[in-house]
Amino acid sequence: MPTDVERWKSEVYGNEIREHLLEFAEQGWDTIPEDERDAWFERFKWWGLYHQRNGQESYFMMRIGTPNGVLTPGQTEVVAEVADEYARGPAENPIFGNGYVDWTTRQSIQLHWIKLEDIPEIFEKLESVGLSTQQACGDSWRNIVGCPVAGKDKHEHVDALPVAMELNETFKGNDDHSNLPRKWKVSITGCREGCGQGDINDLALEPATKEIDGEETKGFNIRIGGGLSRNEPRLARDIDVFVTPEQAAEVSGAISALFRENGDRDNRYNARIKFLMDEWGAEKFRNVLQEEFVDFELETAGEDLRSEYSYNSGYANGGHADHVGIHEQADGNYYVGLNVLVGRMGVDETKELARVADEYGSGEVRVTQRQNVIITDVPEEKLDALQDEELLDHYSPDPHPFMRGSIACTGTEFCSLSIVETKNRQVRYARWLKENVELPAGVEDFHIHLSGCTASCAQPQIADISLRGMKTRKDGEPVEALDIGLGGGLGENPNFAEWVTQRVPVDEVPGAIKNLLANFEARREGDETFREFVARTDEEDLAELVEPEETSYEDPMMHNTKRTWYPYAEDDSMDASPAPTHADGTPITSDD
Amino acid sequence: MSVSLRVLDDGAWVSVNDAREVSVSELWRLDDPSFCGCELPDFVVENVLDVGADGRTVSAKVYGQCIACGHAGVPGWVPVGRLREGEFVDIDRERVVLPVRRGDDDE
């Protein structure tokens, strides 16, 4: 039997949602009939709007899709202006204030506390510079990710940016692909370092070379069915197909159509293409694709470049593990990758980012899958002055490894699924670790990813240390806790972290990391990386090396932050919530 | 009186009559020693899989784990609230022992 979501989608979905959205915006949030709210909130996701959690009714998270993470000149300024004017909530975050921009692990942008009534103005401002929220959420082609310095990078095998943009143009608002069984995450990269992270996407196009008609042809191999969510992580599987850049859109569309026709619409937990791949296997998948969805004979896979992959790999093979720092582009200019701790940047700093990018570079800003930003096209003679900018004091191109390696999802601050507070906690962790823990000599890349639940938005399974939200009891009282996993990473032979220690109270996690790193240093062989150390150590031994303990670190958010209307409010009880509110923020009462 | 019961937002909520009533991340004390061997599993809810009503009792199927022993899985149907004249009445799930009803489709 089709699910409620499928029924709602069959009634209204895709582009047509917009006119309803704008009508509700005109009339006010409280005019959405109560018995239709579930359906409309589900549909609004397709236009990038996600109703915030309990206690925050009538407020939305807005996601803006920036294909391949590229913000063209002028766009960053508008994002900052929109955040400044419309993304301020009824309470302040103690670390980030009120009004901020989240750069996400899928190279997108998220704003919070958005009011439905402001949507028409916001859309107008965003669209005036070519930005869009279309398909940023919902069951369709999500924001396309890739190497964030595509077209600029010296390490490029093939420039995938025009293909990423072609895919975006072809499949955004395309009625044939707007209603898929589930979300559809696509990665395309031509870079030699693996920074498209194709292995954890539904559809991955990775750089390859194939001899066709006697000629060495550059293009992409295709992998299908990666993803991290729901305790069911999968690496994308090689389906033995090579496409040229010219064929990429057609074959990608064929694969999307295969998913549309064969994905499970009866069970959303079984709907992602990774489960279809489980059922079919790569060989059958290729056969069905060839026989039913593609009109020409598919080439077999070409020679890939996976042995060179370094991004987020946990291996020190000489390549980049991220895009932080100052790097020369192919054209002789430089790109400057700035570290944004947990991906959150205040509106004033975002305005500064736009100004600095314009003054020293081309005005373009790019977003990475490690929640960081890049200023591109900086001439060598401007590098010194750029580094003197105050913005770079806070968003450094040369940060401490604990700052550089930290990623966190949204968490219980706004998210319905999360079990624990995340972004602020990861900031506290990183600051404490920086002050109190020495990394073993030569370790410059050390990734700690904190995800509030098994949805894995912070990509915890591919970090050196993976942290995942959980609960436990401490002194008999329920407290927020984290599972600790070790040794995940991508690269030539990706693997997911082993969850070696479960349910560690959140105030004992920094001590656990400190002890673990001391144990790593004591047992380290030569210059091996942490991932290499984990790979050669038994799981039981690893668990003994974690040793959680209380330290000088204090956690102010041990309680059930999900039971608050906003964890940082002075009175955080659900009864104190002002929501739902009118457009001006005044509470909607039963008298309204 | 018809009552609308749904699972919303990728399993984050049980929705009753279009109001989000039961959330993941709660700790429930289950009367289900067969789930993990603990006498009263101390169960954290990670995902709501299904919701249904049996008479006036609203029950949910959820994925989660016992935080005492770490066993993860899906217990049977767990009562999460009652319907009174069509209205959902919450029970204090974190403080009472919840009986678990196992059906034919349970493991």
Side-chain angles (χ1 to χ4, degrees), chain A residues 114-258:
Chain A
I114 298 293
K115 297 297 293 179
L116 187 63
E117 294 82 355
D118 291 330
I119 294 298
E121 282 179 31
I122 295 173
F123 277 7
E124 193 177 332
K125 287 176 191 288
L126 293 176
E127 289 165 4
S128 72
V129 291
L131 288 166
S132 173
T133 63
Q134 187 185 39
Q135 290 174 231
C137 316
D139 293 343
S140 59
W141 283 64
R142 299 291 189 87
N143 191 47
I144 293 163
V145 300
C147 171
V149 287
K152 315 271 184 194
D153 193 16
K154 288 171 76 173
H155 308 91
E156 211 154 56
H157 177 68
V158 53
D159 180 4
L161 189 58
V163 186
M165 293 306 172
E166 184 189 357
L167 293 177
N168 185 65
E169 287 292 314
T170 306
F171 297 108
K172 288 284 174 172
N174 182 329
D175 287 341
D176 289 340
H177 301 269
S178 65
N179 180 358
L180 299 178
R182 203 68 175 79
K183 64 179 80 169
W184 184 242
K185 294 181 175 180
V186 177
S187 164
I188 176 164
T189 179
C191 158
R192 294 174 173 276
E193 299 190 321
C195 45
Q197 301 200 132
D199 285 313
I200 56 170
N201 281 263
D202 295 301
L203 165 61
L205 291 92
E206 300 194 315
T209 304
K210 174 82 177 174
E211 190 177 311
I212 300 174
D213 299 331
E215 278 193 33
E216 293 283 305
T217 306
K218 289 182 175 180
F220 308 95
N221 284 347
I222 292 182
R223 287 176 181 245
I224 303 285
L228 299 176
S229 64
R230 290 197 184 284
N231 289 314
E232 299 271 8
R234 298 284 189 284
L235 294 166
R237 291 174 63 176
D238 181 0
I239 62 164
D240 194 22
V241 170
F242 172 88
V243 293
T244 64
E246 295 74 28
Q247 295 168 328
E250 183 178 350
V251 175
S252 297
I255 296 168
S256 171
L258 181 155

Side-chain angles (χ1 to χ4, degrees), chain B residues 69-90:
Chain B
C69 71
H71 178 75
V74 182
W77 288 93
V78 183
V80 295
R82 306 271 289 170
L83 294 169
R84 192 172 297 154
E85 295 174 358
E87 296 287 311
F88 181 79
V89 181
D90 224 353

Side-chain angles (χ1 to χ4, degrees), chain A residues 4 7-8 34-35 38 45 50-54 182 230-231 268-269 416-419 454 470-473 478 503 560 562-563, chain B residues 5-13 15 18 20 23-27 29 42 44 46-49 63 65-67 69-70 94:
Chain A
D4 282 327
R7 186 166 53 78
W8 296 331
E34 281 188 30
D35 62 354
D38 289 348
K45 293 176 188 173
Y50 212 111
H51 196 222
Q52 288 179 194
R53 70 170 174 86
N54 254 21
R182 203 68 175 79
R230 290 197 184 284
N231 289 314
R268 290 183 67 76
Y269 299 102
S416 293
L417 269 167
S418 185
I419 297 176
T454 58
M470 193 30 70
K471 285 281 176 63
T472 193
R473 285 187 192 273
R503 301 178 299 284
N560 187 346
K562 200 67 168 289
R563 280 287 174 95
Chain B
L5 298 171
R6 290 191 189 102
V7 178
L8 286 184
D9 292 348
D10 301 340
W13 300 100
S15 164
D18 301 286
R20 297 181 286 184
S23 164
V24 294
S25 86
E26 292 183 354
L27 271 178
R29 190 72 81 164
D42 204 357
V44 61
E46 296 184 68
N47 260 127
V48 183
L49 307 177
Y63 175 89
Q65 65 177 273
C66 172
I67 61 169
C69 71
E94 299 205 0

Side-chain angles (χ1 to χ4, degrees), chain A residues 53 56 91-93 97 100 113 413-414 564-569 572:
Chain A
R53 70 170 174 86
Q56 301 170 3
E92 188 157 301
N93 180 303
Y100 35 80
W113 299 120
E413 183 179 11
F414 299 113
T564 67
W565 77 270
Y566 187 64
Y568 317 114
D572 65 4

Side-chain angles (χ1 to χ4, degrees), chain B residues 11-107:
Chain B
W13 300 100
V14 169
S15 164
V16 184
N17 288 333
D18 301 286
R20 297 181 286 184
E21 300 285 3
V22 181
S23 164
V24 294
S25 86
E26 292 183 354
L27 271 178
W28 298 350
R29 190 72 81 164
L30 304 181
D31 183 5
D32 185 13
S34 66
F35 175 69
C36 61
C38 294
E39 191 173 343
L40 294 172
D42 204 357
F43 184 86
V44 61
V45 181
E46 296 184 68
N47 260 127
V48 183
L49 307 177
D50 202 357
V51 59
D54 183 5
R56 290 188 302 155
T57 302
V58 177
S59 299
K61 269 201 163 182
V62 295
Y63 175 89
Q65 65 177 273
C66 172
I67 61 169
C69 71
H71 178 75
V74 182
W77 288 93
V78 183
V80 295
R82 306 271 289 170
L83 294 169
R84 192 172 297 154
E85 295 174 358
E87 296 287 311
F88 181 79
V89 181
D90 224 353
I91 54 177
D92 186 353
R93 291 174 297 275
E94 299 205 0
R95 287 187 176 76
V96 302
V97 176
L98 301 170
V100 177
R101 182 174 59 81
R102 290 195 165 264
D104 296 338
D105 56 339
D106 293 327
E107 290 174 6

